[in-house]
Amino acid sequence: GLVLAILVFLTVKGIALFTDNGVSVWHFLSQTDWQPSHQHYGALPMITTSFSVTILAGIVALPLALVVAVAITEILPKKMTGLFQPLIELLVGVPSVVYGYLGLTIIVPEIQHLFGGTGFGILAATGVLFLMILPTMTSMTVDSLNAVPQKYRQASAGLGATRWQTISRVIIPSAKDGILTAAVFGMARAFGEALAVQMVIGNTAVMPKGLVESSATLTSVLTTGIGNSVMGTADNNALWSLALILLVMSLAFNLLIHLVSKKGVA
């Protein structure tokens, strides 16, 4: 009941910009000019940036998560596995503000040193999100690899396969649905992250022209703007519309995770 109430509330508030203020949905989703104070409500820059940082972080994190998970489950001695696995699970629970602070003090200055400019932008946000979702994706991938029956490994060894052939041709293909679920889950977390991204992306609501240009995501615009608008105004309704987009995308990620998990069970 509570979840349904939240869904109804966000939907009603999210469509108010279109029903009460006369802004077309197509204009909101396709225009690039975001200036609520001047009645310009183009959300495309934030949508583009949100997907960019999420996809880039996922692309970078998944291979490394898979390598670490394979090392933990198949290569490292049990004593080292017992050390690394709890450490990774501990990193999953680190508050996002800690990752944001690391990005602000380490990643942003390094990017500024290497590429010039302010250092804020999509690249910095990608680095922070990479650090955030890597432990989650690694932990879930470890569980997926451990779920592969031991008899698969024994059968592969009995046929004369090497350890690497067993890992690459038997274990990883058998766990591919769980690995894909880990990737989608990690990207879903990245898409909805607000505080850490807000600290390093620059919060400029313009169409991104490069990885090291100041940009803004849906969540960063929401967190910076919601406290500076009056409830019921067009400016406030526009922010609720951004929140509705986030809700729809979160539901889409959850549905995708459910479909992948269901396929894995089947």
Side-chain angles (χ1 to χ4, degrees), residues 67-77 81 84-85 88 138 142:
V67 168
V68 174
V70 167
I72 289 174
T73 57
E74 307 297 329
I75 299 172
L76 294 177
T81 299
F84 281 116
Q85 196 161 355
I88 290 171
T138 302
V142 166

Side-chain angles (χ1 to χ4, degrees), residues 215-227:
S215 304
T217 61
L218 292 167
T219 50
S220 65
V221 169
L222 268 171
T223 51
T224 54
I226 200 69

